[in-house]
Amino acid sequence: MSGAPLSPPTDKSPVALPLAQKLSEELTISSMDWHRLKANRKARALEQAGVAIVFLLKNQPEEALARLQQAVGWLDRSISAPPCPTHGESHRAPKSQS
């Protein structure tokens, strides 16, 4: 592999970027599906990899790398889904004091 900087071919990026953005949208877990898929490692890795492609096409390799590392983390089980913020202690109704 050469040490050339990462940049998309100029003749492909005008077509590739909208396609990658559409793919990323399709792979994004919606708020309606979040509880069902929050721990689905394949779905979470696909979501992050899709976003990484968009960042690469926008010539933002640092952002792409962060998303790819997240995707790898889902696949190698080094990361897990955080608890749902709406089920945490801070969102429960305070107990009344008598």
Side-chain angles (χ1 to χ4, degrees), residues 23-24 27-28 41-51 71 75:
L23 176 63
S24 180
L27 296 173
T28 298
R41 294 189 174 281
K42 180 180 176 184
R44 298 298 297 267
L46 281 167
E47 180 180 46
Q48 292 299 313
V51 173
L75 295 173

Side-chain angles (χ1 to χ4, degrees), residues 3-93:
L6 295 175
S7 61
T10 55
D11 60 337
K12 301 254 190 231
S13 59
V15 174
L17 182 57
L19 290 173
Q21 289 171 325
K22 180 65 176 162
L23 176 63
S24 180
E25 289 171 15
E26 291 294 322
L27 296 173
T28 298
I29 298 171
S30 71
S31 58
M32 290 177 47
D33 290 331
W34 191 85
H35 280 96
R36 183 173 59 86
L37 296 174
K38 70 178 182 176
N40 182 313
R41 294 189 174 281
K42 180 180 176 184
R44 298 298 297 267
L46 281 167
E47 180 180 46
Q48 292 299 313
V51 173
I53 292 168
V54 172
F55 279 119
L56 278 173
L57 288 168
K58 289 183 171 185
N59 202 24
Q60 297 178 19
E62 297 84 13
E63 292 292 334
L65 181 59
R67 283 10 179 247
L68 289 170
Q69 289 169 334
Q70 288 283 312
V72 168
W74 281 109
L75 295 173
D76 71 9
R77 300 182 170 275
S78 64
I79 61 173
S80 297
C84 178
T86 61
H87 295 145
E89 290 293 325
S90 62
H91 291 279
R92 291 190 181 147

